[in-house]
Amino acid sequence: MLKVIIDNIEIQVEEGTTILQAARMIGGKVVPPAMCYYSKLKDSGGKCRSCLVKVVKGSAKDPRPVPKLVASCSTPVQDGMVVENTLSAEVQEARKGVVEMLLINHPLDCPVCDQAGECDLQDLSFGFGMEETETIEPRREYPGIDIGPLIKLNMNRCIHCYRCVLAAEQLTKKRAHGMLYRGDTMEISTFIQTAIDNDFSGNMIDVCPVGALTDRTFRFRSRVWFLNPMDARRECGKCSGKVVAWMFGKEIYRITGRKDQFGEVEEFICNECRFEKKDINDWVIEGPRKIKRQSVISSNHYEQMKKGSIIHPIEGTTEPQE
Amino acid sequence: MTAAGLTKRSKIVSNKTMSFWEKIYLPAIIHGMWITAGHLFRKKTTVRYPEVKREFSEIYRGKHVLKRDDEGRERCTACGLCAVACPAEAITMVAAERKPGEENLYREEKYASTYEINMLRCIFCGLCEEACPKEAIFLTKEIVNADYDRDKFIYGKELLVEPMDPLKRIDVSKRQTPEVLEFKKDRNQRHNVH
């Protein structure tokens, strides 16, 4: 067992754990945001740099600090390591820069985007972003692509996190899409626009941190915060059949996987559950899904009113240190 | 505690018998008529609406308008922020996807195929206007007309969207302070760059 201190909180972890995983074991404000790392996908992480942290003390044996900020999702902990996330002004400043970089080419079309309200980048830029942008150059623009009849790809919004590529590679037998070109002009594409057609391709939508991949069966039907998320299950031969049904009255508008507090699905679900079963009789409704209080999806759902609960600062966001 | 202790406004009622002058009621009637006659010659506090209309403030919050942009395209993109901001829950909308060839009608990829405001629920607070990221909805100096039928107060797009004709557009520039207009010119603000 290795001892690691993150933001003055000590925790014992197994060898091979990354700093991000250790921070997630502590939970709360200590957890760095992650746009590309996805614990359920092998080899994910290390691309977006939004999880940068400062290592103040390398290890018990070698107490020198690491000279540069490290990506917590891909750095394993050492025994006696001391890490600063919210306590370090340098980290907060760097994260602000990362958000700015991610937003250079990201269009401000949240009013149109179906992901708005449950978008990681929206949360990240709300937490760390700036009011102003320094870029005056036009953003890159691509036409929208229909990847098959079920998935819509909007490359303008893509932040090159690779999650969808990894999901396709690890969940399905044969992936039919990948990254083309390099750097700024990089884009997700399928092999000569072939439709992605296999049972688990819909999970690309769930793993996408932004609105680049969205559900065509739900396209523009409603805003997520007008829907009631309900835990639902059914007998399914291909997957666990445990999903969240997003309902409006008695109508199911869309089906997604059950996402945990870090925005990762608990279990990947199959396309039949996701796209085809939109009738309430197909599902056993277990009860309302708890969504984080600070999410816009929970707005106007007064399950429990605490005195002054509205004027309290939003939980989970970290203010930059002075 | 006695009844008088509950409130300071309680009065003790007396059952004393009226005198002769009080019984004929005439002095009381004449006194009442005198007050009424006196009011006839005072300055009137009401106006004869709709022939006479009161002066409205430039930023009066009346009936809503859904603005079009300079090219006549609808600005509203059915983002739902007005509906979520609305404290009276008066706004509902259904979004639709713009088809090829409709670029001259709708500004964005998505538009509101129906947009309804229940004017009976609306409290004209103007929060929808504040929430709107596309500067599509504004409150105007017009007032919502009275009607006999409750159903007629649910205003759809045909009543809310301003006319295409540039001469019949509804001017909302008075609702935008000089500071707001100055802010909009600043291209460094991410809000102003599309």
Side-chain angles (χ1 to χ4, degrees):
Chain A
M1 295 296 272
L2 307 174
K3 195 183 81 175
V4 57
I5 297 168
I6 304 172
D7 279 358
N8 295 337
I9 303 166
E10 193 185 310
I11 189 170
Q12 300 273 348
V13 292
E14 298 279 336
E15 201 168 336
T17 316
T18 61
I19 299 171
L20 185 76
Q21 283 163 346
R24 283 188 177 184
M25 286 173 200
I26 298 168
K29 288 185 178 181
V30 182
V31 187
M35 299 294 293
C36 64
Y37 174 75
Y38 208 81
S39 62
K40 273 96 191 166
L41 298 173
K42 218 168 129 261
D43 300 333
S44 64
K47 296 183 179 69
C48 69
R49 319 307 286 181
S50 62
C51 65
L52 288 175
V53 291
K54 189 173 173 64
V55 176
V56 187
K57 188 181 162 194
S59 67
K61 276 183 204 157
D62 183 5
R64 286 178 301 168
V66 177
K68 291 208 286 187
L69 300 179
V70 298
S72 61
C73 64
S74 51
T75 310
V77 295
Q78 307 278 330
D79 191 33
M81 194 183 239
V82 179
V83 180
E84 280 186 352
N85 176 22
T86 58
L87 297 178
S88 162
E90 196 186 343
V91 169
Q92 305 299 318
E93 192 59 33
R95 205 163 280 160
K96 201 168 156 187
V98 168
V99 176
E100 201 185 337
M101 286 295 283
L102 289 174
L103 290 175
I104 280 179
N105 273 317
H106 193 86
L108 186 75
D109 63 350
C110 304
V112 176
C113 180
D114 274 335
Q115 187 89 359
E118 49 177 21
C119 175
D120 291 348
L121 188 59
Q122 209 176 21
D123 295 346
L124 192 71
S125 56
F126 186 75
F128 301 97
M130 300 190 298
E131 288 263 307
E132 292 179 17
T133 173
E134 283 167 345
T135 52
I136 48 163
E137 293 82 8
R139 280 137 211 244
R140 42 156 217 197
E141 272 187 37
Y142 301 96
I145 300 169
D146 295 336
I147 303 183
L150 302 170
I151 302 169
K152 182 91 180 173
L153 167 64
N154 185 325
M155 258 318 289
N156 298 348
R157 299 176 188 148
C158 180
I159 57 161
H160 307 149
C161 73
Y162 269 89
R163 277 184 188 177
C164 61
V165 178
L166 293 169
E169 204 160 59
Q170 291 168 25
L171 295 177
T172 63
K173 289 194 184 79
K174 205 175 108 194
R175 85 172 145 94
H177 80 296
M179 290 286 190
L180 295 184
Y181 313 120
R182 293 171 60 177
D184 198 33
T185 53
M186 185 193 277
E187 55 180 296
I188 304 172
S189 188
T190 55
F191 179 60
I192 327 178
Q193 312 280 309
T194 332
I196 292 180
D197 183 27
N198 53 55
D199 284 339
F200 283 83
S201 65
N203 288 300
M204 283 164 43
I205 298 164
D206 274 352
V207 299
C208 184
V210 292
L213 292 159
T214 47
D215 187 342
R216 280 190 75 195
T217 59
F218 176 65
R219 190 162 163 80
F220 299 159
R221 282 200 69 196
S222 178
R223 309 297 287 175
V224 286
W225 55 84
F226 293 133
L227 304 178
N228 292 319
M230 303 290 252
D231 277 337
R233 68 181 147 80
R234 67 181 273 269
E235 292 297 320
C236 178
K238 293 170 193 160
C239 66
S240 65
K242 287 181 184 168
V243 301
V244 177
W246 295 77
M247 300 176 60
F248 193 84
K250 296 223 159 165
E251 209 179 332
I252 294 179
Y253 272 44
R254 70 161 182 174
I255 304 282
T256 62
R258 294 186 184 178
K259 290 188 182 179
D260 62 12
Q261 54 169 322
F262 306 116
E264 298 180 357
V265 288
E266 288 165 10
E267 280 159 299
F268 292 111
I269 59 167
C270 68
N271 281 9
E272 190 189 339
C273 290
R274 186 188 301 272
F275 298 118
E276 287 163 29
K277 303 291 177 190
K278 294 281 176 84
D279 192 85
I280 191 163
N281 297 322
D282 293 333
W283 297 96
V284 181
I285 305 291
E286 289 171 1
R289 177 86 187 159
K290 298 275 180 219
I291 305 283
K292 278 185 292 179
R293 181 69 215 142
Q294 65 263 34
S295 166
V296 70
I297 299 168
S298 305
S299 70
N300 299 356
H301 297 187
Y302 302 113
E303 278 179 39
Q304 47 181 6
M305 278 290 270
K306 270 187 290 183
K307 195 180 173 191
S309 63
I310 292 155
I311 44 172
H312 275 324
I314 300 163
E315 264 179 55
T317 56
T318 37
E319 284 94 16
Q321 302 275 309
E322 287 301 316
Chain B
M1 194 187 280
T2 57
L6 287 172
T7 163
K8 283 177 184 163
R9 285 190 291 174
S10 64
K11 277 183 185 171
I12 289 149
V13 182
S14 77
N15 285 332
K16 85 173 174 60
T17 49
M18 286 192 283
S19 67
F20 172 73
W21 280 108
E22 283 170 339
K23 268 181 187 166
I24 61 169
Y25 291 109
L26 257 167
I29 289 168
I30 292 163
H31 179 65
M33 294 299 278
W34 179 251
I35 292 170
T36 310
H39 275 280
L40 282 177
F41 304 103
R42 287 201 193 160
K43 189 171 173 271
K44 289 178 182 61
T45 52
T46 51
V47 294
R48 297 183 72 85
Y49 184 84
E51 288 85 19
V52 186
K53 279 177 185 162
R54 284 191 195 281
E55 196 189 332
F56 278 39
S57 158
E58 287 296 346
I59 50 164
Y60 181 84
R61 297 197 299 261
K63 197 186 104 177
H64 313 65
V65 61
L66 284 172
K67 291 290 288 176
R68 291 175 186 277
D69 68 359
D70 297 340
E71 294 165 41
R73 302 172 297 183
E74 282 177 24
R75 299 184 75 104
C76 176
T77 176
C79 70
L81 290 183
C82 48
V84 83
C86 183
E89 299 188 357
I91 304 176
T92 52
M93 68 189 70
V94 176
E97 190 170 359
R98 183 181 68 184
K99 293 185 182 63
E102 291 181 332
E103 282 83 358
N104 57 336
L105 292 175
Y106 311 110
R107 201 154 179 247
E108 311 265 346
E109 205 179 351
K110 185 172 77 163
Y111 68 96
S113 60
T114 57
Y115 189 103
E116 289 177 341
I117 301 179
N118 186 338
M119 292 298 178
L120 293 173
R121 294 199 75 150
C122 178
I123 57 168
F124 302 97
C125 62
L127 285 183
C128 48
E129 185 181 357
E130 255 179 68
C132 186
K134 295 287 173 188
E135 286 159 27
I137 191 163
F138 285 97
L139 274 66
T140 64
K141 273 167 78 177
E142 269 182 65
I143 57 169
V144 176
N145 289 331
D147 210 306
Y148 291 105
D149 199 350
R150 293 182 77 87
D151 290 345
K152 292 194 177 139
F153 285 97
I154 297 171
Y155 279 30
K157 270 180 86 177
E158 66 284 356
L159 289 167
L160 294 170
V161 180
E162 68 173 345
M164 192 82 102
D165 187 355
L167 299 172
K168 290 182 187 161
R169 291 287 176 82
I170 295 158
D171 181 30
V172 291
S173 53
K174 291 273 165 48
R175 298 196 63 75
Q176 297 168 310
T177 59
E179 291 81 32
V180 172
L181 292 171
E182 194 55 41
F183 172 82
K184 278 196 225 157
K185 283 181 201 153
D186 185 359
R187 304 292 290 178
N188 269 340
Q189 298 290 336
R190 198 183 291 147
H191 179 86
N192 299 332
V193 187
H194 295 290

